[in-house]
Amino acid sequence: MGQAYRESKSTTRFDRVRDALTVMGISVLSASVTTMLSALVLVFTYIIFFLKFGTFILLTILMSTLWAFGFFMALLSIVGNTTRHDDWRWLWYKLRGQTPDDAEKEPEHYHSVTVAAAHV
């Protein structure tokens, strides 16, 4: 979820949280539901090991889901980063004196090479 928030192109925290929930939310929720359902099967066994292991998995996944969708997304909507960071390509452009928006564009020489190759 944090990776989807970080990779979002939006500029506001709310939009970045919405993008993260849209992109990764359904996958994370589906995985947690199927894991909890499989752990629930283990809870109804007579073997003590399976009972304890199923309870452990069920509680772990339940708490992780509550953390990811509840606390973590709320935390990101309050104090999440809204600018680019940990992006080496953006840093490279910034160190070369270009604007950060240039990091989103292809360099001009890519287009001239393509045009020159088309004329040959």
Side-chain angles (χ1 to χ4, degrees):
M1 301 286 282
Q3 180 68 19
Y5 179 88
R6 184 183 160 286
E7 293 293 325
S8 174
K9 301 291 184 197
S10 299
T11 56
T12 64
R13 290 184 182 108
F14 178 77
D15 290 339
R16 290 173 78 109
V17 167
R18 185 179 55 198
D19 289 347
L21 289 173
T22 302
V23 171
M24 290 294 296
I26 191 68
S27 300
V28 172
L29 184 64
S30 298
S32 65
V33 167
T34 57
T35 304
M36 285 189 285
L37 288 175
S38 64
L40 192 63
V41 172
L42 291 175
V43 170
F44 294 109
T45 60
Y46 292 107
I47 301 173
I48 299 296
F49 173 76
F50 290 146
L51 172 70
K52 290 184 178 185
F53 190 63
T55 304
F56 174 75
I57 291 174
L58 185 67
L59 291 175
T60 301
I61 298 301
L62 179 66
M63 290 305 196
S64 299
T65 305
L66 291 176
W67 168 267
F69 287 103
F71 183 75
F72 186 58
M73 287 291 114
L75 182 67
L76 285 177
S77 68
I78 295 169
V79 295
N81 197 354
T82 58
T83 59
R84 298 181 68 121
H85 65 289
D86 297 338
D87 188 350
W88 293 107
R89 185 173 179 214
W90 179 82
L91 180 63
W92 176 250
Y93 277 90
K94 190 75 170 172
L95 290 174
R96 290 175 47 198
Q98 297 175 343
T99 62
D101 294 332
D102 292 338
E104 297 296 324
K105 302 175 192 169
E106 290 182 351
E108 290 296 323
H109 69 276
Y110 287 164
H111 300 295
S112 62
V113 171
T114 306
V115 171
H119 290 294
V120 173

